[in-house]
Amino acid sequence: MIRIGKYNTLKVVKLVDFGVYLDGGEGQEILLPAKYIESPLNPGDEIKVFIYRDSEERLIATTEHPYAEVGEFAFLQVSAVNRVGAFLDWGLTKQLLVPFSEQKVRLREGMVCLVYVYLDDVTKRIVASAKIEKFLGNKYPHYKVGDKVQALIYKHTELGYKAIVDNLFHGMIYDSDLYAPLVVEEMITAYIKNVREDGKLDLLVNGAHDGRVENLADKILGRLKEEPDGFLPLGDSSSPEAIRETFSCSKKDFKKAIGLLYKKKSIVITPGGISMAK
């Protein structure tokens, strides 16, 4: 069965001057225009194509790559606005419509907005919505702590960065767990820190057991060995900024690392900082 708004691998059924027709199943043939054919095709060959509807609402195939498929979120730029809504550049010749009813604020040409791409149940057209909240958290996530996920960073708040997890769930990456800023609009790999009762997810940029604290402890010890007196004026009372500037890490990870070194009797913790153990 053809999946509109998705990639499909289809078989060539016949050649014509303006392209090839592909087998869409149930006696349906879908045109792949000649301009999208990069190498010669013959009947029986299979090709991976993206399926959507052209300006006359006919199913059409393309080898172009949209910036987002049906069921995905993406930041897209508004290229035009008319009486029916805003049109987004999504990487295909035909632009993507955001109807006025699916806009949180009135979109203007040149704006970049976060949208969800979906297939309208009534018209079977691919459209987009800027009202992203209604497409998130509609089922309970069944992740375990440490599971790897894909997270689209979409907003920075007082607590940290809001993210869309695997195109399905709300996620949060707290500033206190970071030692470098994230980039809004970036898709990153993250790890589950906690699954909250309300189904929202707390995330870590690094896995909980990826050895980063041990690596940081080695880095701190190496830096102490480089100091003539084996002392650094950094400790529990130091500012997060001073720690980040010296070791590019969060204060939370720094405290874990020096705690680890203290347990190993590798350092001495004093009110003024840390020293190499004698």
Side-chain angles (χ1 to χ4, degrees):
M1 184 175 179
I2 291 296
R3 298 183 302 158
I4 303 173
K6 296 280 189 179
Y7 290 97
N8 296 255
T9 299
L10 304 180
K11 186 175 293 187
V12 176
V13 291
K14 66 181 177 184
L15 312 182
V16 291
D17 292 341
F18 45 87
V20 301
Y21 279 99
L22 307 174
D23 183 7
E26 299 179 349
Q28 180 176 227
E29 294 182 350
I30 300 173
L31 176 66
L32 172 63
K35 63 181 178 180
Y36 301 130
I37 300 174
E38 298 175 354
S39 56
L41 292 171
N42 295 298
D45 290 346
E46 290 189 337
I47 184 170
K48 185 178 180 180
V49 291
F50 184 80
I51 302 296
Y52 67 111
R53 292 187 184 276
D54 65 12
S55 56
E56 297 180 17
E57 303 307 325
R58 297 171 300 191
L59 288 180
I60 195 88
T62 181
T63 52
E64 291 181 307
H65 297 284
Y67 302 139
E69 302 177 36
V70 163
E72 295 181 346
F73 294 84
F75 283 91
L76 301 175
Q77 186 169 31
V78 179
S79 54
V81 178
N82 67 14
R83 58 184 178 79
V84 297
F87 290 86
L88 309 177
D89 174 12
W90 67 318
L92 300 184
T93 303
K94 184 185 178 185
Q95 297 174 333
L96 183 63
L97 173 66
V98 185
F100 287 122
S101 61
E102 293 298 327
Q103 298 178 24
K104 295 170 68 174
V105 297
R106 188 58 62 92
L107 297 177
R108 305 294 180 191
E109 186 174 341
M111 290 176 64
V112 174
C113 60
L114 175 62
V115 297
Y116 180 77
V117 183
Y118 68 101
L119 190 66
D120 184 87
D121 290 334
V122 177
T123 65
K124 301 303 178 184
R125 298 172 184 170
I126 303 170
V127 290
S129 174
K131 297 179 178 180
I132 65 169
E133 291 79 8
K134 66 182 183 180
F135 300 100
L136 288 170
N138 294 320
K139 62 179 182 178
Y140 192 81
H142 294 284
Y143 294 109
K144 301 187 299 295
V145 172
D147 281 352
K148 183 188 292 187
V149 297
Q150 292 298 301
L152 176 62
I153 309 302
Y154 73 92
K155 186 177 183 180
H156 189 239
T157 70
E158 293 179 353
L159 294 176
Y161 292 87
K162 288 187 174 184
I164 295 170
V165 180
D166 288 343
N167 288 298
L168 289 171
F169 307 109
H170 293 277
M172 173 66 78
I173 303 171
Y174 294 97
D175 283 340
S176 59
D177 287 328
L178 292 169
Y179 46 83
L182 299 176
V183 178
V184 173
E185 300 186 27
E186 184 179 20
M187 180 75 78
I188 66 169
T189 297
Y191 300 84
I192 300 298
K193 176 184 179 182
N194 179 47
V195 179
R196 294 187 240 163
E197 289 186 4
D198 61 3
K200 295 182 179 179
L201 304 168
D202 295 332
L203 307 173
L204 293 172
V205 173
N206 298 104
H209 305 291
D210 63 354
R212 75 181 188 280
V213 172
E214 290 82 358
N215 291 336
L216 178 57
D218 290 342
K219 186 177 179 180
I220 293 170
L221 199 57
R223 178 65 182 271
L224 285 169
K225 289 177 180 177
E226 292 173 358
E227 298 296 320
D229 54 0
F231 173 80
L232 277 174
L234 292 174
D236 286 354
S237 60
S238 299
S239 69
E241 292 74 22
I243 292 169
R244 185 178 293 112
E245 183 176 344
T246 306
F247 290 110
S248 299
C249 71
S250 67
K251 183 171 181 177
K252 185 176 181 180
D253 278 355
F254 176 77
K255 291 174 70 173
K256 287 181 181 179
I258 63 174
L260 180 63
L261 291 172
Y262 180 76
K263 287 179 182 177
K264 292 182 177 180
K265 302 185 185 308
S266 298
I267 64 168
V268 175
I269 298 176
T270 67
I274 54 175
S275 301
M276 288 280 295
K278 303 297 186 184

